Amino acid sequence: MNMLDKLNENQKKAVLHTEGPLLIFAGAGSGKTRVITHRIAYLMEEMHVPPWSIFAVTFTNKAAEEMKNRVASMIGPAGRDVFIRTFHSASVYILRRFGTHIGIPGNFSIFDQSDQESVVKRILMEMHLDPKKIRPSAIVSKISEVKDRAELVDGTDPASLLPESYSYDLSEIYRLYHEELKSQNALDFNDLLIKTVEVLRGSPSCLASLQSQWRYFMIDEYQDTNYSQYLISKYLSKGSRNICVVGDDDQSIYSWRGADIRNILNFESDYPDARVITLDRNYRSTEPILEAAQAVIRHNENRKDKDLKSEMGDGEPVTWCHSSNDYGEAEFTVNTIMSLKSREGFSNSDFAVFYRTNAQSRVIEDLLRRKSIPYRVVGGLRFYDRKEIRDIIAYLRFIVNPLDQVSLMRIINTPARGIGRATIDRIRSAAAEKSRSPWEVIQGSLLTGKVPKGLTLFRDVMTELMEALPGVPGSKKLSQFVMDIIESSGYRENLLDEKSAESTARLENIDEFVNSVYDYESGQPDAAMQDFLQDISLFTTEESPDAGQDSGGNAVTLMTVHNAKGLEFPVVFITGLEEEIFPHRLSIDSDEGIEEERRLCYVGITRAKERVYLTNAELRRTFGTLNYREPSRFISEIPGHIMQVKSYHSEGFSHNGNGVFRRRETGARKSAPSAPYPAPSPSPSPSPSPAPLSKPETGPGGSSAYSLHEQVLHPKYGVGRIIKIEGSGDNLKLTILFGSSSKTFMEKYTPLEKCP
DNA sequence: TTGAGGCTTTCAACA
DNA sequence: AAAGCCTCAA
């Protein structure tokens, strides 16, 4: 078997150690994923372990998908039967199978942060507290923080963990919150893990059945596991003891989500017979990049000392570029991208631009767009977070789980059907009085007095849909069902009537959503609607299907540094390296905070294979106002002699055009920047090479069966003339002129007839 | 009850 | 700068 030939000594040892506990300390770029995938392949090929006996968890869906693909490409399609998921997704799997043992029906809703906030907001109002003074999001994060804590999972009264001395009773809110979730048959993200622990602890038969199913465990990014995740790994692997964890304390960046670094540091005391293997040869970054990254991370006090060695040889030094403002920073970034493309043959997909907060992406996006460089934004406003998608999902969620009031309240008057606050209050009080759920009140017509027409309509439409819910696998296509909802709820018609650029975009997104349902059902023909909903609730870092200008793949990648974890790119820009941005203002007051920011910076730099550009802007617009920012301390932690220093002065005006950023004369800033930083030497700005011609737009309706100016018959609007054709395939859109007004339709939804 | 327009608040990272 | 909340006229 030459599978092992491509591995170095320690990697090989890690692959060959299949029985008993194993801890792999894997430095950045040391081939961690390679080891995990080879280990899985080795287990299957050489040890003849069946794929379904292997349990692997990674940190993101993306990483899980990637790992599946890599395993499949090594050993063929059987690799796809290995259980590779995120912890949350594995928990949903376990809860679906065994949740009923602890009273959780399979059709539970999963509440994300905004769902949690609306629950809390209502509780606050019922307690006569002002949601404007006490922010629901703050309460939600306190609740979540407590639920991440080991003590709670181990059965301590939550009230004792909640901070006191507030003007309100936090533990009362906490209690009501959970009562509310229970009554709505909903779980939040923390619950998924906590309830899974409960199942494993409380039901020996469930545990035994899972332990006999899974015999080999691999936990990636172990430094970022929280206590519940630690317990889930521990219980599941207790039978076989074949647990392999992989991690790097320097890359722990999720302590704010309850990640507990002690899990990895205590592994050896948990498993005294554990084998420990360290991977410290870096196969990703050139020497100067690795040097700079290590120079930064060495400033952390609280870490295991280690030294990574680059196997990639010498390269270009890391560049620091100081700009006068955020617009200039973006200009420098985009100019450098263009110049590397034309002079050194890099292509768009070789570049990644990182930032600390999502809001920073805008300036860079603007400039990329202006220069016609295709880009994609990973994370940020997720596709499933868009209003119209959330609305449709709320319909689905409510139909699957009629106790889900958060969803009900979202859709009851969306689109507008004349159900306002007064009616909703009446429903609520009737529900409370009769101890029924709001839907039971609506459904059973339990309201006294006259009922708005819209409510009766809503009741009838929803009842019909609930009866048509694809229950038996294969009875009705999920995608067809979703299309029915979009139609019969009036959602689609409402958007069609609006005819604005925005409503068109929304229709497009809804169409894209239907496509995603279609893809899902093709991949999993037996899945029920509840499976689909639960799966997509966990799918968050998925990039929007229509992000950027070009989905063709060759695009510059934009994302937060957090999102960059586990990825690599030839050229990396880390932007906004300023005090109060990166490190972030809210982390700056504590050593732990700063150290986590520093690890984040380390993660960012170590994503790069060949080039790193660190940038900061002196003047940045935040919340609509301009602020001066000092360069980040992390820049000063890189010795001047291994870094190339530039400064870039923006040409032209700022984005808002009011001259705030009027160009300074080059050299106007003669005074050296504050002491610890090497003085930026004015250097010619990278001259923008001729921008590569942007791809010509996909010709209108290349393969379409329709042609411009053709006459067609619409079932509702009658005969019209096609005046515009956009998109193609499933996205084909036709704008048709009826008399003096025009309407745009998605071709795939519209039964049009051609008129000869 | 609706929806336009004005005022306020918000941006930390994510499953 | 942009989203969300509130108010008020219709």
Side-chain angles (χ1 to χ4, degrees):
Chain A
M1 181 72 212
N2 58 6
M3 182 166 81
L4 300 174
D5 292 352
K6 294 183 216 146
L7 302 176
N8 69 31
E9 274 316 299
N10 281 355
Q11 290 174 333
K12 231 177 269 181
K13 282 181 198 159
V15 169
L16 294 173
H17 183 99
T18 56
E19 312 299 310
L22 170 65
L23 166 59
I24 304 174
F25 271 112
S30 62
K32 174 188 72 163
T33 310
R34 189 188 194 95
V35 167
I36 297 177
T37 49
H38 277 75
R39 207 162 171 276
I40 293 173
Y42 182 82
L43 281 170
M44 288 175 62
E45 300 264 280
E46 300 295 313
M47 310 292 289
H48 307 292
V49 173
W52 54 84
S53 293
I54 301 174
F55 173 104
V57 283
T58 64
F59 213 66
T60 63
N61 291 294
K62 207 174 177 180
E65 198 47 41
E66 156 107 18
M67 194 167 288
K68 257 186 201 170
N69 290 336
R70 282 171 73 163
V71 171
S73 76
M74 286 178 75
I75 55 171
R80 298 205 68 84
D81 295 331
V82 178
F83 190 93
I84 305 181
R85 304 211 187 185
T86 63
F87 264 110
H88 288 84
S89 156
S91 298
V92 167
Y93 170 91
I94 293 172
L95 290 174
R96 261 186 221 144
R97 268 182 71 183
F98 299 116
T100 47
H101 289 251
I102 56 166
I104 297 172
N107 65 337
F108 60 86
S109 293
I110 298 175
F111 278 7
D112 68 11
Q113 189 159 341
S114 79
D115 301 318
Q116 293 175 282
E117 281 171 25
S118 53
V119 169
V120 167
K121 191 174 167 188
R122 238 189 77 205
I123 291 171
L124 290 177
M125 292 198 296
E126 272 165 19
M127 290 172 78
H128 303 290
L129 296 165
D130 185 356
K132 267 181 295 181
K133 296 211 181 86
I134 306 163
R135 287 182 23 236
S137 61
I139 306 279
V140 167
S141 56
K142 285 198 177 76
I143 291 175
S144 188
E145 207 181 304
V146 166
K147 294 174 81 169
D148 277 325
R149 298 260 293 273
E151 297 90 327
L152 179 82
V153 179
D154 282 339
T156 302
D157 177 9
S160 68
L161 299 171
L162 290 159
E164 278 174 41
S165 80
Y166 280 89
S167 54
Y168 53 92
D169 187 350
L170 192 51
S171 59
E172 177 68 0
I173 299 175
Y174 185 95
R175 194 181 62 75
L176 288 171
Y177 169 85
H178 286 95
E179 214 167 76
E180 193 57 37
L181 255 65
K182 175 120 180 108
S183 82
Q184 297 198 34
N185 184 22
L187 301 178
D188 63 25
F189 283 120
N190 295 303
D191 287 333
L192 295 177
L193 303 172
I194 293 174
K195 299 293 176 190
T196 299
V197 171
E198 232 172 85
V199 167
L200 300 181
R201 263 186 188 157
S203 165
S205 67
C206 301
L207 181 60
S209 132
L210 290 170
Q211 282 180 344
S212 67
Q213 172 180 350
W214 293 315
R215 308 297 298 165
Y216 293 87
F217 296 86
M218 266 165 265
I219 322 289
D220 193 11
E221 309 283 9
Y222 198 64
Q223 77 281 356
D224 280 329
T225 50
N226 70 13
Y227 188 66
S228 307
Q229 293 167 331
Y230 161 81
L231 287 180
I232 292 169
S233 324
K234 181 169 152 183
Y235 290 142
L236 287 175
S237 64
K238 207 164 190 172
S240 65
R241 287 181 52 81
N242 298 324
I243 177 170
C244 164
V245 304
V246 190
D248 176 5
D249 55 329
D250 284 338
Q251 294 185 66
S252 163
I253 55 176
Y254 284 101
S255 70
W256 51 275
R257 212 173 73 187
D260 192 339
I261 191 87
R262 285 173 300 183
N263 291 343
I264 193 164
L265 299 178
N266 292 346
F267 189 83
E268 290 169 76
S269 45
D270 275 355
Y271 298 92
D273 57 332
R275 175 81 185 269
V276 181
I277 294 173
T278 303
L279 305 177
D280 56 5
R281 290 164 68 180
N282 174 297
Y283 297 94
R284 180 187 295 144
S285 313
T286 60
E287 269 159 23
I289 293 172
L290 204 56
E291 272 316 304
Q294 297 198 99
V296 172
I297 199 65
R298 274 197 280 266
H299 285 78
N300 272 5
E301 301 279 329
N302 184 18
R303 70 186 279 265
K304 276 200 166 189
D305 194 35
K306 56 181 85 65
D307 199 18
L308 286 179
K309 293 264 185 301
S310 169
E311 299 287 324
M312 304 311 283
D314 203 10
E316 296 288 319
V318 168
T319 301
W320 168 36
C321 178
H322 167 102
S323 297
S324 43
N325 58 54
D326 50 357
Y327 186 80
E329 176 184 52
E331 254 180 7
F332 168 80
T333 304
V334 173
N335 287 347
T336 305
I337 288 173
M338 293 195 298
S339 123
L340 286 177
K341 275 167 66 176
S342 66
R343 291 189 201 159
E344 307 197 33
F346 286 100
S347 70
N348 291 329
S349 54
D350 293 332
F351 301 97
V353 182
F354 300 156
Y355 33 81
R356 179 64 177 80
T357 68
N358 280 303
Q360 289 166 248
S361 75
R362 260 206 50 232
V363 190
I364 297 164
E365 286 187 64
D366 284 349
L367 216 55
L368 285 167
R369 232 185 333 254
R370 203 170 306 171
K371 302 282 184 182
S372 304
I373 298 174
Y375 66 89
R376 60 194 185 114
V377 183
V378 177
L381 217 213
R382 313 164 337 188
F383 180 65
Y384 294 118
D385 274 346
R386 290 167 201 228
K387 183 191 175 304
E388 59 277 17
I389 305 301
R390 284 196 81 106
D391 289 342
I392 303 303
I393 291 177
Y395 272 96
L396 293 170
R397 252 169 49 173
F398 176 66
I399 290 164
V400 167
N401 172 20
L403 293 175
D404 184 337
Q405 266 192 75
V406 170
S407 294
L408 172 60
M409 290 308 150
R410 183 173 184 107
I411 59 174
I412 194 165
N413 199 34
T414 314
R417 345 180 135 80
I419 302 170
R421 227 192 110 181
T423 311
I424 289 173
D425 284 348
R426 282 171 64 203
I427 296 171
R428 284 228 174 100
S429 50
E433 207 173 292
K434 301 186 162 66
S435 318
R436 301 287 183 86
S437 73
W439 172 241
E440 285 173 318
V441 170
I442 298 167
Q443 195 186 28
S445 308
L446 303 179
L447 281 189
T448 48
K450 79 169 191 239
V451 172
K453 236 178 170 176
L455 189 61
T456 317
L457 178 73
F458 178 75
R459 181 196 65 191
D460 294 344
V461 170
M462 297 315 284
T463 308
E464 201 173 303
L465 285 168
M466 281 176 188
E467 281 162 5
L469 177 68
V472 191
S475 61
K476 187 174 191 178
K477 293 279 192 226
L478 299 185
S479 56
Q480 182 57 49
F481 186 68
V482 174
M483 286 192 272
D484 291 349
I485 288 175
I486 297 167
E487 285 304 330
S488 58
S489 63
Y491 203 94
R492 181 179 167 65
E493 196 182 1
N494 185 258
L495 283 178
L496 277 174
D497 287 347
E498 207 183 301
K499 277 191 298 196
S500 61
E502 200 191 338
S503 68
T504 313
R506 295 213 159 135
L507 283 167
E508 253 171 65
N509 287 334
I510 288 177
D511 184 49
E512 189 55 47
F513 178 67
V514 174
N515 284 340
S516 76
V517 182
Y518 184 80
D519 286 348
Y520 181 86
E521 80 191 353
S522 328
Q524 330 212 9
D526 291 340
M529 188 54 82
Q530 69 185 48
D531 302 314
F532 172 72
L533 287 174
Q534 289 169 359
D535 286 348
I536 62 168
S537 326
L538 305 177
F539 242 83
T540 57
T541 38
E542 178 74 334
E543 72 199 57
S544 339
D546 64 344
Q549 315 185 322
D550 180 4
S551 43
N554 189 19
V556 174
T557 302
L558 273 57
M559 63 175 119
T560 62
V561 196
H562 280 92
N563 254 318
K565 177 151 130 168
L567 306 177
E568 59 179 31
F569 298 89
V571 184
V572 163
F573 295 84
I574 305 181
T575 63
L577 274 164
E578 294 138 39
E579 287 294 303
E580 312 224 314
I581 301 274
F582 195 179
H584 195 271
R585 169 170 62 87
L586 300 175
S587 303
I588 232 157
D589 292 330
S590 70
D591 288 346
E592 302 83 67
I594 288 293
E595 296 214 340
E596 180 146 322
E597 296 283 318
R598 191 176 280 116
R599 290 192 294 269
L600 190 57
C601 183
Y602 173 76
V603 167
I605 298 173
T606 53
R607 298 308 93 197
K609 294 157 94 162
E610 297 170 41
R611 308 286 172 94
V612 170
Y613 296 88
L614 309 172
T615 64
N616 77 295
E618 191 175 335
L619 205 50
R620 177 178 300 276
R621 190 176 285 276
T622 23
F623 294 139
T625 50
L626 291 169
N627 298 289
Y628 280 93
R629 304 277 181 208
E630 290 291 320
S632 169
R633 69 191 72 189
F634 303 144
I635 291 176
S636 66
E637 290 168 0
I638 302 173
H641 67 271
I642 64 167
M643 184 162 64
Q644 188 184 2
V645 184
K646 287 188 177 183
S647 74
Y648 180 86
H649 294 285
S650 171
E651 316 273 331
F653 299 99
S654 78
H655 23 109
N656 62 7
N658 64 10
V660 177
F661 286 155
R662 193 175 283 274
R663 173 166 66 105
R664 296 169 190 238
E665 289 305 305
T666 308
R669 273 189 85 256
K670 269 283 149 53
S671 56
S674 47
Y677 307 99
S681 57
S683 64
S685 16
S687 58
S689 47
L693 291 175
S694 58
K695 256 204 210 154
E697 281 293 307
T698 325
S703 61
S704 122
Y706 296 94
S707 50
L708 214 52
H709 308 308
E710 193 177 14
Q711 293 235 0
V712 289
L713 176 68
H714 188 279
K716 195 157 158 196
Y717 297 100
V719 176
R721 190 181 290 280
I722 297 176
I723 56 171
K724 197 170 165 196
I725 302 177
E726 297 161 272
S728 61
D730 279 350
N731 278 320
L732 184 64
K733 278 183 306 216
L734 303 170
T735 306
I736 303 175
L737 185 69
F738 302 100
S740 59
S741 69
S742 65
K743 287 188 181 301
T744 303
F745 304 93
M746 296 296 303
E747 191 265 345
K748 72 187 279 201
Y749 288 138
T750 321
L752 291 172
E753 275 179 53
K754 298 199 179 206
C755 303

